Amino acid sequence: MRNIYTLLFLCIGIQISNAQKSLTTEEISTFKSAVEKLDSNTQTIVSDFVQYKHLSFLNNDVETQGKLAFKVPGLVKWEYTSPYKYSVIFKDDKLFIDDEGDKSKIDIGSNKMFKGLNSLITNSVKGNMFDENAFEISYFKVDDFYLVKFIPKDENMLQFIAKFELKFDIKTSDVTEVKMIEPSEDYTKIVFKNKIRNTTLDEAVFNN
């Protein structure tokens, strides 16, 4: 019986290793060009999303739903709609928070860490995070999507985020999922749905 279990686990390991295939240098170049072209032609993004917060001490992930709004050069709004109402807006080097009517503001202009996080969030939404000076980057093809893993080189950033993982639709080169993994291996996974680029988006959306 032990040998049967061993064989089963070996077979599973082989299937997993075959499912994730590293991209060639040529494939990486083609893929990056497609993402960068999509990014350069993007003025706005609106999307629904589902967020999964995985905590090691909980049996089930904490699931929340919401809406994302983005407008160049760096306006970002995360609005959580269920099971609670909560919004976070990055605007003019400030972080605006609305916790069910309880509003607050944080100046992040002089905080290098917050500014770095804002930049990472903005770029992850667009998909263009290919800064090899800031990250160790690896590229894979898994089933019908590309998986790109980003490990921050900044020691301060590594205290909060051990790794980013982005999934891209192979056909459209658009980001479909963002996963932020903490040093503890807890993680936040955001799955985008009904994403639309370059729709009309009034800046009033980003008022707190």
Side-chain angles (χ1 to χ4, degrees), residues 12 26 44 47 51 87 98 100 106 133 153 160 202 208:
I12 292 173
E26 184 177 352
T44 65
S47 179
Q51 177 177 294
S87 68
D98 186 344
E100 297 189 327
I106 301 173
N133 292 319
K153 293 182 178 181
F160 301 95
D202 196 307
N208 188 37

Side-chain angles (χ1 to χ4, degrees), residues 30 71 105 154 184 208:
T30 300
K71 187 171 186 177
K105 179 176 66 174
D154 185 280
S184 64
N208 188 37

Side-chain angles (χ1 to χ4, degrees), residues 106-121:
I106 301 173
D107 189 342
I108 63 174
S110 59
N111 190 308
K112 184 179 178 181
M113 178 59 65
F114 268 118
K115 290 192 73 173
L117 285 172
N118 182 26
S119 178
L120 286 176
I121 291 169

Side-chain angles (χ1 to χ4, degrees), residues 51-142:
Q51 177 177 294
Y52 302 90
K53 180 63 178 180
H54 176 81
L55 299 168
S56 58
F57 58 84
L58 295 179
N59 291 329
N60 298 310
D61 293 348
V62 179
E63 180 178 330
T64 52
Q65 299 181 29
K67 297 180 180 294
L68 161 74
F70 165 80
K71 187 171 186 177
V72 295
L75 297 173
V76 183
K77 180 177 182 179
W78 295 93
E79 181 180 9
Y80 296 87
T81 57
S82 176
Y84 53 78
K85 294 188 182 297
Y86 184 93
S87 68
V88 178
I89 298 172
F90 290 93
K91 178 181 178 181
D92 299 331
D93 283 337
K94 293 180 176 60
L95 177 65
F96 298 89
I97 300 170
D98 186 344
D99 185 357
E100 297 189 327
D102 184 9
K103 298 183 179 182
S104 58
K105 179 176 66 174
I106 301 173
D107 189 342
I108 63 174
S110 59
N111 190 308
K112 184 179 178 181
M113 178 59 65
F114 268 118
K115 290 192 73 173
L117 285 172
N118 182 26
S119 178
L120 286 176
I121 291 169
T122 301
N123 290 333
S124 66
V125 167
K126 297 188 296 177
N128 191 356
M129 288 178 57
F130 308 122
D131 184 353
E132 294 184 353
N133 292 319
F135 302 100
E136 294 179 13
I137 309 175
S138 50
Y139 303 82
F140 306 91
K141 181 179 179 182
V142 184

Side-chain angles (χ1 to χ4, degrees), residues 11 17 26 69 71 83 98 111 164 171 194:
C11 290
S17 63
E26 184 177 352
K71 187 171 186 177
D98 186 344
N111 190 308
F164 276 89
K171 294 181 179 179
N194 308 316

Side-chain angles (χ1 to χ4, degrees), residues 171-184:
K171 294 181 179 179
T172 64
S173 302
D174 207 351
V175 179
T176 60
E177 180 180 308
V178 175
K179 187 175 182 181
M180 293 169 281
I181 303 168
E182 301 168 20
S184 64

